[in-house]
Each structure stands twice: as structure tokens, then as C-alpha cells.
Amino acid sequence: MIISARNQLKGKVESIKEGAVNAIITLKSNSNDIITSTISMEAVKELDLTPGKEAIAVIKATEVMIGIGDMKLSARNQLDGEIVKVQEGAVNAIVTLKTNGGNTISSTISMSAVKELGLSAGVKAKAVIKATSVMIAV
């Protein structure tokens, strides 16, 4: 699969919590980061998802927020790590965070946010991703 989404975390489905319309999929990446995704039951069936099946969590960089310090949020995915690169543009920046599990996550955020948060290489931060922003591919 070749797609433009920068974040593609390979792993295995840990669990599937089925609802009437949607399911919550928990995927454990090959480097042990846990990613939660909310997808339709129809997609679960079409992808033939079962615990133990290899899958890929796909997340667009524009759907990844970067946070500093302790945060109480409803977003299910909060991956601790360290900023390894900030590629600055005129309006936005691409911030690259290496998770404590070893995955690399890219985030596209405003230059204003980069400056307000003091983001630069070496800063401890979190990649924050809503479960509804995580797609699952097989």
C-alpha cells in the first residue's frame, strides 16, 4: 500500500470491542505502542479483523496534535515521546516525535503552536490522536 498518510504503524490487532454501529479496535504496534481506532462494524467485517491479525494504523499528520506535560483529554491515543525534528514552513511545521515505544509520528501544526509550546528537538511531548482519526488497513 502506498498512500500519502505519513503515519503508518504496523502491528497486530489486540482486541475488538463491538458496538451496534462502530467498533473500538486496539492495535499493538510492532514496537509495543498501543493505538486505538474507532471504525464501523461494516469495516471490521470487510477487513476480516480478528485479534492477532496483522494490520496497520494509518493516521494523517494533520490529525496528530502535539501536547506538552500532563493533560486530561478524551483522546484515547496519547503517545509519550521526544521531538526529534521540527521542519518549519511559512505557516505550518511538520513536527516529528519518536515515541517511547520507538515509532516515529509526524504532525502538521501551525508555526504559532510550535512557538507557543517551545517545540524543538529534544523536547519531551505527546502525540495526541482521537480514535476516530485512526484508519485501519490490512
Side-chain angles (χ1 to χ4, degrees), residues 52-75:
K53 183 168 185 163
E54 291 189 9
I56 304 166
V58 179
I59 310 148
K60 290 183 62 174
T62 53
E63 297 296 322
V64 179
M65 296 170 275
I66 299 292
I68 302 291
D70 291 328
M71 301 172 286
K72 291 187 179 187
L73 301 170
S74 63

Side-chain angles (χ1 to χ4, degrees), residues 3-62:
I3 59 174
S4 64
R6 292 178 180 270
N7 303 302
Q8 300 179 35
L9 286 70
K10 295 179 181 180
K12 289 187 180 178
V13 174
E14 284 267 296
S15 67
I16 301 171
K17 188 178 211 179
E18 296 184 5
V21 177
N22 292 326
I24 298 172
I25 308 299
T26 303
L27 182 134
K28 186 174 187 178
S29 77
N30 292 342
S31 60
N32 295 320
D33 283 322
I34 301 295
I35 304 292
T36 301
S37 173
T38 300
I39 62 174
S40 70
M41 284 302 301
E42 185 175 330
V44 171
K45 290 175 183 154
E46 287 175 3
L47 296 170
D48 192 29
L49 294 180
T50 57
K53 183 168 185 163
E54 291 189 9
I56 304 166
V58 179
I59 310 148
K60 290 183 62 174
T62 53

Side-chain angles (χ1 to χ4, degrees), residues 108-128:
T108 301
I109 61 174
S110 70
M111 282 303 302
S112 297
V114 168
K115 291 185 186 334
E116 287 172 18
L117 295 171
L119 301 179
S120 62
V123 171
K124 300 287 186 196
K126 289 182 184 182
V128 179

